[in-house]
Amino acid sequence: MAGQGPILSSVESTTETDTNGLTRTEVAERVASGKTNAFSADTSRSAWSIVRANVFTLFNGIVFACFLVLFLVGRWQDALFGLAAFANAIIGCVQEFRAKSALDRLALMNAPRALVLREGVQAEVAPGEVVLDDVLILRAGEQVPADARILTSHGLQIDESMLTGESDPVEKQPGDDALSGAVVVGGEGAAQATRVGADSYANRFAGEAKRFSLVSSELRASVDRVLKWVSWVIGPVGLLVLNAQIIVGGGYATVFSSGAWVQAVVNTIAALTAMIPLGLVLMTSIAFAVGASRLARRQVLVNELPAVEGLARVDVVCLDKTGTLTVGEIGFDAAHPLAGSTTELSGTAAAVTELSGTAAAVLSWFAASPDANATARSMGTAYPVTQPLVVRGYVPFSSARKWSAVTFSEIPGAWVMGAPEMVFGDAATSDATELGRMVTTLAETGRRTLVLGRSETPLSEADIESEQLPSELTAVLVLTFREQVRPDAAQTLEYFTRQEVGIRIISGDNPRTVAAIAREVGLDVAEGYDARRLPEGDAELADVLDRHSVFGRVTPEQKKRMVTALQSHGHTVAMTGDGVNDALAIKAADIGIAMNSGSPATKAVARLVLLDGQFSHLPDVVAEGRQVIANIERVSMLFLNKTVYATLLAIMFGVLVLEFPFLPRQLSITDGLTIGIPAFFLALMPNAARYVPGFLRRSLSFAIPSGVVVALGLTWYTFVARGLGVHEEQLRTGATVILAVVGIWILAVLARPLNRFKVIVVGAMFVLLIAVFTIPLAREFFVLVDPGEDLAIALTGITIVMVAAIEVVRLLHRRLVLSPKTATTTRVGARPSTATTPPARVVAGIITTVVVVLAYAFGVLATGFGILVFLGRYDPDVSTSAFSLAGAAIALFGLLVLAVAAGIRRGSGLSRLMLTIFLGVAIALNAVVIVFGDRWDWGAAVTVLVAATLIALMWSPPVARGFGRIRESSMGAARP
């Protein structure tokens, strides 16, 4: 076959295998003995690992167990909480299967083919079909499928940067080794496979890297810790509650003989499922999935959902130079003429112009020569071929000599291009020569240098035969080359610097070159650290990494050690890269980021894959992660508050032997409408708050005291209800009303500062609660009845006390736990303080304080009055009367007034506008109660009077001047 001869003509081996390749029989023998290149390196996570991570969790185990018990006892209506577990598992699996599918498609599209010689005939096979001792045909652009020993070489150059990090192509000679995964960039040759399958160099990395480990996630770890705490107490608490429910039902003998044990079991499961933060796990998965979808639109593939959070916590980013900061290609920089070169060649001005044209023609030939390497080819744009030159003699480039020489028919003399020190010796590095000074100065900038020299004497046959330089060479030009830096690299690194994220550049390339690239992308680096001098001890290595930021000559194993050393000093580390040599470090890092141009093994273990290779997407990932963390921290307080009060209620009701005041389906109302649904919207809102460690501590510091308030309030209510002698369904309805109203208030408190969107969310949840309590079908399903006038008055008073206590808890939480900046937010619209305050401002300040106090008072008054109107039901024969709905609406707007009152103190124009609207609606609703009621209602009259007074005061000239514009409101700036 054409082309075989030149490739194998210089084979020194006399074996038939080396000459003609393996026979069919020899291939079959090797296949039978397992000596093939087949290797099952996963291109992504396995389907089983995805299912296991999302389905077989402690959370799902507890929930499904309770779910199954309710189905077995025939109470499916109370098993609605199981939907959260199903949704959580489905969302996680679907998102990660989508990522797996995308990675697998990419791997299939990029799968290489191998060219082998068998029985003297070239054949194209899949890389996995290569067997030991196969003769591999290597040509430019092809990938080496297995580790091999070079048999023949005709200008064969192989790029091993994906394996070793060294960006310079390596010229291979017979007897040299070629590593699997390397790419042929020039020339051609043949090689014999020496290691195949799992034994090959690249697959050893892939084999170690494919051992999967979950990404570190503070959110997931915190939720898992809460679930673990719940799992420790859920058994004893469950037995305690079950015992209390059986005793309340008449004792063990009675409940088992009468069948009342079913209700005891249902009550117990209601207590236990309330203890589990069902929605928090689901909400975290949804936030991760939405974040992953947003990133996918920016060409960032998320391999594992919690990785969306991970990069927001990173404080050190380790960057591989080749393929990450640079595009992995060499680029021509400039030609630097030497001052004395024109004089030595010709003393006339005309000769200078002639030389410039001649030099350009020579450089264009070197750039377009058949065996030009990547460095020479990069000059083609600057020096295109305008007139072909006829070659009379030529010494091809060799990586050993590092120069090439040529003589042309049209141009006298000989021309040489190569490494300065290899062409001119010590003169190229000496300060005593102009060439040496120029080469040294340019090299210190990190640019690669070549020299173009000229001899008056053309190449002789002896020169060409012995591959020696022509005599009396004179340096004409110094040529500089630089790696092409990604255009987005400097901007991205500047972003990380502003965010106080440390940068470590680690590469297998020369330390000086790496340092120069680092300076080019904006890092203040004097020189690179040679990794060959790195200490062996982990502690000493970590110290070196703290002091230096740029490292060269780093091996793949050292990259992994460097990542773990940084982690040992408490850093959260991200590692970017594209080569197989980066796979181990990417896997060891907290967040691994791979370029799509990278190897399948690297992309398989990476948490994130930049599909278009744009480094500038990393700030988008950081922003998305910060939004997830900040919003989940906000909504986690809702869920953990429920866990705290549910656990305390279960313990107290078990110890006090009281019947649990809720059915599971009734808890589904409060869970869904005061926590789950609004949390979904809050978790997806824009939020750029910077990550601060301590998510669980901050969440629990609010959830625990607020949960204690709710638990004590419901226990107090239960004793009051028992004292009034109400029946079981009335007690449960009243407890559900209290929990719903207090839950809405906690939602409004945590949603502060409110904006239009948050007001709509809070208001919509209250409207849905009203619908549940007024629509007959819903009331029947959730077993809700009229609590009666006496119980309505009692629960209204208890609710107001609980709301006030929650407000105190949140105030202390913001002042003592959250950032001082949050507690001392500057009032929008306020003027700078002066030495003397004008009397008008003093009056305005006093009136503003009165407005704030009245706003809080109105909120409490309207909420309490609205609950009474709602539960009093002026017309008892019509459960959905206009008065019932009006009362519920008055309570809603009372809560909203409480929620936005804090913005008045800050001078928020948006708060004033919202408060005016809420007060106006409240006046209209109370007017309905006064006009259409069967008696004069003093509560409604007082509410109208206070609301009208508030509106007048807020818009009075002295106070109005202290408010900012609506669009300048501070309500979106504070931390959650």
Side-chain angles (χ1 to χ4, degrees):
M1 187 171 182
Q4 288 176 223
I7 296 177
L8 294 173
S9 59
S10 62
V11 179
E12 298 179 2
S13 173
T14 58
T15 65
E16 187 69 20
T17 296
D18 287 351
T19 304
N20 296 316
L22 298 177
T23 64
R24 293 182 181 179
T25 303
E26 290 171 331
V27 171
E29 290 174 351
R30 285 162 173 75
V31 171
S33 60
K35 297 177 181 179
T36 70
N37 203 37
F39 180 73
S40 58
D42 293 337
T43 57
S44 59
R45 292 177 60 187
S46 68
W48 170 244
S49 70
I50 292 174
V51 172
R52 185 176 65 243
N54 288 282
V55 175
F56 298 98
T57 64
L58 176 63
F59 161 76
N60 287 343
I62 296 173
V63 173
F64 285 141
C66 295
F67 185 82
L68 180 61
V69 170
L70 289 178
F71 260 94
L72 292 177
V73 299
R75 296 291 289 270
W76 62 268
Q77 303 95 326
D78 291 308
L80 298 178
F81 58 84
L83 298 177
F86 282 112
N88 178 59
I90 291 171
I91 289 172
C93 287
V94 168
Q95 178 61 36
E96 294 188 29
F97 271 122
R98 288 176 60 188
K100 171 182 170 59
S101 176
L103 279 178
D104 290 346
R105 285 197 305 271
L106 290 172
L108 185 61
M109 290 169 58
N110 298 328
R113 301 291 290 177
L115 193 63
V116 298
L117 183 66
R118 292 176 178 173
E119 296 185 335
V121 178
Q122 293 181 14
E124 191 176 75
V125 299
E129 297 175 7
V130 173
V131 298
L132 188 65
D133 297 327
D134 249 333
V135 174
L136 311 174
I137 307 301
L138 305 178
R139 289 174 177 164
E142 295 178 353
Q143 191 174 45
V144 181
D147 292 354
R149 186 184 79 256
I150 301 298
L151 300 176
T152 67
S153 172
H154 186 71
L156 181 65
Q157 291 185 323
I158 294 181
D159 178 5
E160 297 179 338
S161 61
M162 294 282 282
L163 302 167
T164 65
E166 172 60 64
S167 58
D168 288 326
V170 179
E171 184 167 336
K172 296 294 184 180
Q173 301 297 333
D176 291 345
D177 289 330
L179 301 176
S180 57
V183 178
V184 179
V185 294
E188 59 182 5
Q192 188 170 31
T194 56
R195 288 187 299 269
V196 294
D199 294 331
S200 67
Y201 184 83
N203 288 341
R204 285 205 304 273
F205 278 117
E208 182 174 345
K210 70 181 281 190
R211 290 196 289 272
F212 178 73
S213 61
L214 288 173
V215 63
S216 172
S217 165
E218 184 184 7
L219 293 183
R220 183 175 58 191
S222 298
V223 173
D224 287 345
R225 191 179 310 163
V226 172
L227 290 175
K228 187 177 294 185
W229 294 340
V230 171
S231 68
W232 288 342
V233 301
I234 200 168
V237 170
L239 293 175
L240 182 65
V241 174
L242 180 62
N243 177 70
Q245 303 312 299
I246 290 176
I247 293 175
V248 169
Y252 283 87
T254 302
V255 297
F256 284 107
S257 60
S258 64
W261 64 271
V262 173
Q263 187 59 49
V265 169
V266 171
N267 290 348
T268 301
I269 290 180
L272 298 183
T273 54
M275 293 168 55
I276 305 170
L278 298 170
L280 180 57
V281 181
L282 175 60
M283 203 54 54
T284 303
S285 292
I286 290 175
F288 284 155
V290 171
S293 297
R294 288 173 177 163
L295 290 175
R297 290 195 291 271
R298 297 186 179 102
Q299 297 298 301
V300 179
L301 181 65
V302 179
N303 251 349
E304 194 181 342
L305 289 183
V308 176
E309 167 211 346
L311 197 55
R313 297 187 293 106
V314 164
D315 58 3
V316 174
V317 177
C318 295
L319 305 170
D320 176 55
K321 176 183 69 68
T322 306
T324 303
L325 293 181
T326 67
V327 295
E329 298 176 3
I330 196 72
F332 176 69
D333 177 52
H336 308 268
L338 293 161
S341 62
T342 56
T343 302
E344 292 171 8
L345 288 165
S346 176
T348 64
V352 176
T353 305
E354 180 184 348
L355 175 63
S356 300
T358 301
V362 172
L363 291 177
S364 68
W365 183 89
F366 275 113
S369 64
D371 62 343
N373 59 20
T375 303
R377 287 196 300 270
S378 68
M379 298 187 299
T381 302
Y383 299 104
V385 176
T386 57
Q387 184 175 357
L389 299 175
V390 177
V391 177
R392 287 175 47 198
Y394 177 50
V395 178
F397 178 82
S398 164
S399 60
R401 295 190 314 269
K402 296 189 183 301
W403 60 264
S404 61
V406 64
T407 293
F408 303 105
S409 299
E410 299 89 343
I411 303 174
W415 296 84
V416 177
M417 189 174 76
E421 63 274 17
M422 302 301 289
V423 178
F424 291 97
D426 293 340
T429 56
S430 173
D431 290 338
T433 65
E434 182 187 3
L435 173 63
R437 289 192 298 272
M438 180 176 289
V439 168
T440 302
T441 300
L442 294 172
E444 286 176 352
T445 66
R447 285 176 284 185
R448 301 183 186 185
T449 58
L450 293 180
V451 66
L452 178 67
R454 181 178 184 272
S455 172
E456 295 288 349
T457 306
L459 288 173
S460 65
E461 291 293 335
D463 292 336
I464 297 173
E465 183 69 24
S466 60
E467 297 184 346
Q468 65 182 16
L469 291 166
S471 60
E472 299 181 358
L473 269 175
T474 302
V476 177
L477 298 171
V478 175
L479 307 166
T480 54
F481 304 81
R482 65 173 72 239
E483 288 189 80
Q484 295 182 20
V485 176
R486 290 182 181 271
D488 54 357
Q491 180 181 356
T492 304
L493 293 186
E494 182 187 4
Y495 169 83
F496 282 121
T497 301
R498 290 198 311 269
Q499 301 299 318
E500 299 178 359
V501 175
I503 301 295
R504 301 292 184 273
I505 299 179
I506 54 181
S507 173
D509 219 333
N510 185 288
R512 177 177 292 179
T513 303
V514 182
I517 295 295
R519 289 191 293 270
E520 189 171 343
V521 296
L523 295 184
D524 184 12
V525 179
E527 60 182 12
Y529 190 98
D530 194 326
R532 291 172 292 188
R533 299 188 290 111
L534 285 174
E536 293 297 325
D538 291 341
E540 295 83 358
L541 175 60
D543 292 337
V544 171
L545 288 165
D546 285 339
R547 296 194 304 269
H548 299 271
S549 57
V550 174
F551 300 85
R553 302 301 184 195
V554 184
T555 65
E557 292 79 6
Q558 284 178 320
K559 287 186 180 183
K560 179 181 177 182
R561 282 190 61 217
M562 294 167 82
V563 169
T564 55
L566 287 167
Q567 291 170 329
S568 70
H569 273 204
H571 294 293
T572 303
V573 182
M575 174 71 195
T576 70
D578 64 344
V580 174
N581 62 307
D582 301 319
L584 296 182
I586 283 177
K587 178 180 177 293
D590 296 281
I591 295 294
I593 306 164
M595 302 293 178
N596 186 40
S597 58
S599 68
T602 306
K603 290 185 288 187
V605 299
R607 314 298 186 185
L608 304 171
V609 180
L610 306 183
L611 295 178
D612 57 1
Q614 294 299 313
F615 191 47
S616 57
H617 289 317
L618 292 187
D620 293 334
V621 181
V622 172
E624 201 68 50
R626 286 182 173 177
Q627 175 174 313
V628 168
I629 290 179
N631 286 336
I632 291 299
E633 179 172 334
R634 186 197 303 272
V635 302
S636 70
M637 297 182 195
L638 288 171
F639 293 104
L640 295 178
N641 165 263
K642 189 201 74 166
T643 296
V644 171
Y645 74 65
T647 303
L648 292 177
L649 279 177
I651 294 174
M652 288 192 294
F653 277 62
V655 172
L656 298 174
V657 193
L658 297 173
E659 183 170 8
F660 197 71
F662 302 101
L663 294 172
R665 72 188 82 172
Q666 291 169 339
L667 287 174
S668 297
I669 301 174
T670 56
D671 283 358
L673 298 183
T674 69
I675 301 176
I677 297 175
F680 173 81
F681 293 101
L682 293 178
L684 302 180
M685 291 187 64
N687 197 327
R690 293 186 64 176
Y691 166 73
V692 179
F695 153 75
L696 187 58
R697 177 186 63 84
R698 289 191 300 273
S699 297
L700 290 177
S701 62
F702 173 81
I704 291 176
S706 61
V708 170
V709 169
V710 175
L712 292 178
L714 287 171
T715 305
W716 176 21
Y717 159 78
T718 301
F719 278 110
V720 170
R722 285 166 59 90
L724 293 175
V726 299
H727 58 77
E728 184 180 281
E729 291 182 350
Q730 287 179 306
L731 185 149
R732 288 176 179 155
T733 300
T736 305
V737 170
I738 291 176
L739 193 56
V741 174
V742 174
I744 285 285
W745 174 243
I746 293 174
L747 170 64
V749 164
L750 293 177
R752 290 176 184 167
L754 292 181
N755 54 28
R756 303 170 185 83
F757 180 77
K758 293 177 184 176
V759 167
I760 291 173
V761 171
V762 174
M765 295 307 102
F766 201 92
V767 170
L768 290 174
L769 281 172
I770 293 171
V772 170
F773 278 95
T774 55
I775 296 175
L777 185 61
R779 294 180 62 203
E780 181 181 351
F781 179 82
F782 291 106
V783 195
L784 301 172
V785 298
D786 191 336
E789 184 175 353
D790 292 339
L791 189 59
I793 295 173
L795 71 87
T796 299
I798 292 172
T799 300
I800 292 174
V801 172
M802 292 171 67
V803 164
I806 292 295
E807 185 65 29
V808 172
V809 168
R810 181 57 169 172
L811 178 64
L812 294 175
H813 180 252
R814 292 179 64 86
R815 293 291 177 88
L816 301 178
V817 179
L818 298 184
S819 168
K821 292 181 180 179
T822 305
T824 59
T825 303
T826 303
R827 183 168 64 88
V828 173
R831 296 184 178 90
S833 61
T834 59
T836 58
T837 305
R841 291 196 62 201
V842 174
V843 173
I846 294 173
I847 298 176
T848 300
T849 302
V850 172
V851 169
V852 173
V853 172
L854 284 177
Y856 279 111
F858 173 85
V860 173
L861 174 65
T863 301
F865 177 69
I867 294 173
L868 284 175
V869 173
F870 171 64
L871 296 176
R873 305 187 190 281
Y874 279 59
D875 184 357
D877 296 329
V878 183
S879 60
T880 57
S881 66
F883 293 102
S884 176
L885 296 176
I890 291 170
L892 165 64
F893 286 100
L895 288 171
L896 292 176
V897 167
L898 280 170
V900 300
I904 300 299
R905 183 180 297 276
R906 296 194 301 269
S908 166
L910 180 60
S911 292
R912 182 174 64 154
L913 177 62
M914 286 184 175
L915 195 57
T916 302
I917 295 172
F918 298 158
L919 292 171
V921 175
I923 289 174
L925 292 169
N926 280 279
V928 170
V929 174
I930 293 173
V931 173
F932 295 100
D934 54 5
R935 60 185 182 275
W936 176 259
D937 199 309
W938 283 103
V942 172
T943 303
V944 169
L945 178 62
V946 175
T949 303
L950 272 170
I951 293 175
L953 289 174
M954 281 191 301
W955 293 91
S956 62
V959 178
R961 285 193 293 268
F963 285 97
R965 297 175 181 174
I966 293 175
R967 293 186 180 276
E968 295 175 355
S969 173
S970 65
M971 302 185 76
R975 278 181 58 83

